[in-house]
Amino acid sequence: MKDIVISRTLAFPRAMVWAALTSSDHLAAWLMPNDFRPIPNHAFTFKTDPAPGFDGTVHCTVLEIIEPERLKFSWRGGGIDTVVTFELREKGKETQLTLSHAGFAGLSNLIPRVALGFGWKDLLSKKLPAYLSAHFPK
Amino acid sequence: MTYVAANQDPFKAIADPNRRRMLDLMFEESRTVGSLAEALGISQPAASQHMQVLRLAGLVDERVEGRRTFYSVRAVELRTVADWIAKYEAFWTEKLDTLETHLARMKN
């Protein structure tokens, strides 16, 4: 099971990209309305329109914040419990931004957390990933 | 068949340890209700009832061979995971585009 990883080079200095990622106002402008604060362990939410199976609120906690390189926060809502990480690397005057959204494996309706520990370990760690990579190649 | 909303919830369907065990066994190979009842040490009517819950939740497929019905885990349910990932990938791609536009605005 592959996580989502998107990398792109932005024609902006790293300090600027960092600012856009770590201020509540900037995040609201390009991502979603939020009460983010750049403080480790700060719990915050992103608000968006509800959808079937999703009440429109993403519950997050700042897991790691290392200026100006890495911002990592949990991302829970709509049945998923995942982790989002932004990594910023300086490339001359540009910035390479890598987003990863991880933790999707084992989160299907079929295998929620309550299923863990009843012989499902094998299913989660081997069978499901094998099945998914065979049927849904990236 | 009457579909009851509550019964369609896969989370509720697998909240029961016997049903989880049944899914485990069916994941190995397709099974009849009788063989599942035997493996779990429960009565056949009890196993049938559990199977009904799993069926209503859309978690099992059935195949009739002669007088016997074999049940297996419905793998298509696993598609949900792949669908979510595809949706989020599109979401982030769009948001990163917006970020670039926003950065350009910040610069001015």
Side-chain angles (χ1 to χ4, degrees):
Chain A
M1 186 87 253
K2 277 182 88 176
D3 302 322
I4 295 169
V5 179
I6 305 172
S7 191
R8 52 171 85 180
T9 303
L10 304 169
F12 303 93
R14 182 161 69 164
M16 210 176 136
V17 178
W18 180 258
L21 293 176
T22 54
S23 113
S24 177
D25 289 346
H26 286 310
L27 283 169
W30 70 269
L31 189 53
M32 284 182 273
N34 65 88
D35 54 350
F36 174 87
R37 289 169 69 195
I39 300 166
N41 299 317
H42 172 63
F44 63 102
T45 58
F46 284 112
K47 299 268 189 189
T48 185
D49 299 327
F54 176 48
D55 64 7
T57 302
V58 184
H59 298 269
C60 306
T61 301
V62 177
L63 300 175
E64 198 177 2
I65 180 157
I66 304 171
E67 184 176 1
E69 305 177 342
R70 187 184 301 142
L71 170 67
K72 188 172 174 180
F73 51 87
S74 59
W75 179 285
R76 299 183 309 277
I80 65 165
D81 187 347
T82 52
V83 174
V84 172
T85 309
F86 289 99
E87 303 225 42
L88 291 73
R89 281 177 60 189
E90 211 152 36
K91 277 177 85 184
K93 288 179 180 170
E94 305 191 316
T95 306
Q96 185 177 0
L97 176 69
T98 303
L99 159 89
S100 80
H101 194 162
F104 288 93
L107 290 166
S108 80
N109 283 337
L110 177 59
I111 307 155
R113 285 173 296 282
V114 290
L116 291 169
F118 284 85
W120 285 63
K121 238 180 213 160
D122 191 44
L123 175 65
L124 285 174
S125 63
K126 295 185 200 133
K127 290 174 186 166
L128 177 63
Y131 176 88
L132 289 169
S133 55
H135 289 76
F136 307 103
K138 287 276 295 182
Chain B
M1 191 184 297
T2 313
Y3 284 87
V4 181
N7 285 350
Q8 287 183 57
D9 183 351
F11 287 84
K12 282 187 184 140
I14 66 160
D16 180 275
N18 276 324
R19 292 199 286 271
R20 280 199 293 270
R21 185 84 189 102
M22 285 168 75
L23 287 168
D24 269 343
L25 293 165
M26 287 186 286
F27 210 92
E28 302 287 335
E29 57 179 333
S30 58
R31 295 278 204 144
T32 61
V33 168
S35 89
L36 289 168
E38 200 183 313
L40 269 68
I42 59 175
S43 71
Q44 181 134 352
S48 287
Q49 244 171 22
H50 285 312
M51 185 60 77
Q52 181 69 353
V53 175
L54 293 173
R55 283 172 60 195
L56 289 173
L59 294 177
V60 292
D61 278 327
E62 52 185 272
R63 190 184 77 246
V64 179
E65 265 178 36
R67 292 170 54 205
R68 298 197 296 176
T69 304
F70 287 86
Y71 295 90
S72 55
V73 175
R74 190 176 205 170
V76 75
E77 282 297 308
L78 298 179
R79 183 185 282 275
T80 319
V81 180
D83 285 350
W84 275 345
I85 292 183
K87 262 183 214 157
Y88 270 97
E89 194 147 31
F91 166 82
W92 283 117
T93 302
E94 189 197 314
K95 290 299 182 188
L96 291 182
D97 289 346
T98 314
L99 170 64
E100 286 200 65
T101 314
H102 180 70
L103 285 163
R105 238 183 275 132
M106 280 169 75
K107 209 169 186 178
N108 295 327

